[in-house]
Amino acid sequence: MQLDFERLTMKRYRSSEVWDFEMASPASSGSADVILGLDGSASDTVCVCISAAMPSFACRLDAPLPVLSRAVSGCSNHNSVGETTARETIEKVMAEALWKAGSNRSAVRAVCLALAGVNHPSDQERTHYWLRNIFPDHVKIFVENDAVAALASGTMGKLHGCVLIAGTGTIAYGFTEDGREARAAGAGPILGDWGSGYGISARALTAIMRAHDGRGPQTLLTYEILNMVRLSSPDELIGWTYADPSWARIAKLLPAVVSCAEAGDEVANKILHDSVLELSASVKAVVQRLELCGQDGKDYFPLVMVGGVLEENDSWDIGKEVIDSITKIYPGAHPVRPKVEPAVGAALLAWNNVTRKNYVSNIETDCDMLKCF
């Protein structure tokens, strides 16, 4: 599929040529309406295509969601790769998703882009204006931060509760049922997303250099990480790190840190314990600002957990530690592992908007349908 799509587009990107497939194999005039949902994280970009005429039961928490097609590409965070590259990636992955679905832009009813790096209304406005030149006037366009789609992936399109993302980067984002929103963290590695995969791994690299210099305690991290990146000495880490200091590349060292902590290494354990405190603090900040817990601190709210850092682990389980920390203070917090990916959450946000319906208003009574910690 990927190779066929590439043959229909030019290797050197030009906007008009990305859509050449619409002339080569146009959708029929009676093509069903579709919706595009896109999730652009610090590591990759995923676009899904769903039917705009989905029946209401398709959005139940216990029902498999019919996805017509899915396409994947690289990073689309404009803060990481620049606005031009980010837009090229987004446009290509949307075109590929439509091509795989046998559809085209004339059949699109709505598009929801949920993008890392969209942190200000000006980011939304620029992206919205750019998309307006790509899609026909009838298409409804929504641009959000990627955390919004991650929340929706755990609530099947309802914007209520708090989401904690901890992957390459980290952010906590919350919504009240009356539309108020708040966020914490998500400012990138330089400004301190220390609970993220990047933050944990960067601290591990620093610990190795400190041990090598005699400024810090010896640590098993030295052996594990040098072995992982196939280097022979800590001195070589300097060249390895700065040759390509991308966030995702550094974040891939996370499994080595967890492995060392599980083996009892004190330095690695301290790094992971600190990450739990950082992630918990982000959630608590959002919950307090929005009063999601109610005045008595016990009200129900979904807490959606997304990202590789929070995945279940038999031994050192960062996600479980965060949940334990949060529920001690807010017993009404209900942790949820999404059954669908954030790109589907983005599509559901658009679907809910264009249909003006919300079929998950009773989500708090459906705990048995949620895959929880």
Side-chain angles (χ1 to χ4, degrees), residues 200-261:
I200 292 170
S201 301
R203 285 194 61 185
L205 291 174
T206 300
I208 292 172
M209 299 311 299
R210 287 176 59 83
H212 181 61
D213 291 344
R215 294 180 291 125
Q218 294 301 308
T219 170
L220 184 59
L221 289 167
T222 301
Y223 171 80
E224 288 292 334
I225 288 182
L226 287 179
N227 184 58
M228 187 176 185
V229 299
R230 299 181 180 180
L231 298 177
S232 57
S233 75
D235 287 330
E236 295 178 81
L237 276 176
I238 300 172
W240 180 88
T241 300
Y242 293 109
D244 178 12
S246 64
W247 307 352
R249 177 172 175 258
I250 301 298
K252 289 179 180 178
L253 301 176
L254 175 66
V257 185
V258 175
S259 176
C260 290

Side-chain angles (χ1 to χ4, degrees), residues 70-240:
R70 181 178 186 271
V72 185
S73 192
C75 175
S76 57
N77 184 336
H78 67 91
N79 292 323
S80 301
V81 298
E83 200 156 283
T84 298
T85 299
R87 289 182 176 182
E88 290 176 5
T89 299
I90 292 167
E91 191 163 3
K92 284 181 179 179
V93 81
M94 290 191 300
E96 184 178 353
L98 283 173
W99 174 72
K100 285 182 174 180
S103 188
N104 62 26
R105 286 174 290 178
S106 65
V108 176
R109 189 170 176 189
V111 179
C112 180
L113 265 58
L115 303 170
V118 172
N119 300 315
H120 190 272
S122 62
D123 298 325
Q124 292 175 299
E125 290 168 8
R126 288 198 314 276
T127 304
H128 189 282
Y129 180 79
W130 167 66
L131 286 172
R132 190 74 281 165
N133 291 320
I134 294 175
F135 289 96
D137 291 341
H138 72 270
V139 178
K140 291 189 176 182
I141 294 172
F142 310 95
V143 181
E144 303 285 355
N145 183 272
D146 62 328
V148 178
L151 174 61
S153 72
T155 61
M156 298 303 284
K158 183 181 181 182
L159 290 183
H160 170 240
C162 181
V163 62
L164 175 64
I165 301 177
T168 298
T170 182
I171 188 172
Y173 214 113
F175 276 86
T176 62
E177 293 189 282
D178 61 3
R180 291 181 296 117
E181 59 187 278
R183 58 175 285 174
I190 294 176
L191 298 180
D193 285 351
W194 296 119
S196 67
Y198 176 92
I200 292 170
S201 301
R203 285 194 61 185
L205 291 174
T206 300
I208 292 172
M209 299 311 299
R210 287 176 59 83
H212 181 61
D213 291 344
R215 294 180 291 125
Q218 294 301 308
T219 170
L220 184 59
L221 289 167
T222 301
Y223 171 80
E224 288 292 334
I225 288 182
L226 287 179
N227 184 58
M228 187 176 185
V229 299
R230 299 181 180 180
L231 298 177
S232 57
S233 75
D235 287 330
E236 295 178 81
L237 276 176
I238 300 172
W240 180 88

Side-chain angles (χ1 to χ4, degrees), residues 308-314 316-317 319-320 337 371-373:
V309 173
L310 303 174
E311 289 179 358
E312 289 179 297
N313 192 306
D314 290 337
W316 225 118
D317 194 325
K320 184 178 184 302
R337 276 190 187 279
K371 184 179 179 183
C372 306
F373 283 100

